[in-house]
Amino acid sequence: MSGLQVRDLSVHFGGVYALKGVALNVPSGVCVGLTGPNGSGKSTLVNAVTGVVDARGDVRVDDRPLPLSRPGRAARLGLRRTYQTPRVHDELTGLENACAGHHVMTGRMVTGALLSRFRSARAERDRRRDAMAALGRVGGDSAAPVRGSAMPYGQRRLVELARVLVGEPRVLLLDEPSAGLNDVETEALCRLIRELTDTGVAVLLIEHRIGLLNEVCDQLVVLEEGVTIHQGAPRDVWRHDRVRAAYIGDLSDAGA
Ligand SMILES: Nc1ncnc2c1ncn2[C@@H]1O[C@H](COP(=O)(O)OP(=O)(O)OP(=O)(O)O)[C@@H](O)[C@H]1O
Ligand SMILES: [Mg+2]
């Protein structure tokens, strides 16, 4: 299967499991929403797949096995991610931050961006053109000359998103990308996700906002305390008692 396949993924911190045997598929050209209450393991799943935290399980990208607990391996298979708290380098401008998408391996990002200043003028022009186009695509043009340290939160998000686009994702993991965006920016984000899936990108969207999930996701996966409690079409998922209970308490106990 092309896209992302996750089987039996488990992560524990000390003796406490943050994920217990989670499975999900994000086929190419499809947006899968990942939701669930705070602390249910959504960000941990992204951290596990990208090798940021130790994990056990079977993860494949375009049918190729992805070694776990090895940061950097995921990027080599075309997997890109954004962070729940956007990561933008404070010393670099929006344009330079976006250019760093060419150097997708974590840790080498800043060095790469700085080194690129010394590369051939033509290659550098191409990189800057791609980065500027990516900023335009996410509606973040105005951030191009702004240093990371001076960017408001929403702008940091757009710049981070531009950086991952520059890295030409095959599989894109977005951890609450709409947090801090206004309505216009959120609408642009939805359009962007649709454009990406139309060109065959597999998108995993972590999100709490039901409207947004309904609008862009083909499938939803709901986690609670590290296990999958439901998978299905977005419009149906909220009808299930277990999902509703996970969010707002057991409705039958509440007399609902
Ligand atoms: N690095 C870590 N060390 C120890 N515990 C962690 C670590 N990262 C996450 N956890 C714990 O794992 C569980 C899942 O956390 P995670 O951040 O994945 O939840 P989440 O679903 O993303 O929540 P939210 O909606 O608040 O972002 C929580 O109990 C959290 O405290
Ligand atoms: Mg999270």
Side-chain angles (χ1 to χ4, degrees), residues 37-44 47 84-85 175-176 206 208:
N38 296 122
S40 54
K42 304 178 296 296
S43 298
T44 300
N47 289 336
Q84 186 162 351
T85 302
D175 197 347
E176 302 197 24
I206 297 180
H208 287 287

Side-chain angles (χ1 to χ4, degrees), residues 94-113:
L95 184 62
E96 288 168 335
N97 268 288
C99 277
H102 289 291
H103 318 278
V104 283
M105 307 302 173
T106 45
R108 276 196 258 155
M109 180 188 100
V110 176
T111 329

Side-chain angles (χ1 to χ4, degrees), residues 95 127-138 141 162 165-166:
L95 184 62
R127 282 163 197 273
R128 292 169 80 87
R129 187 201 54 215
D130 290 351
M132 203 58 227
L135 281 170
R137 217 172 153 197
V138 302
D141 316 61
L165 291 186
V166 165

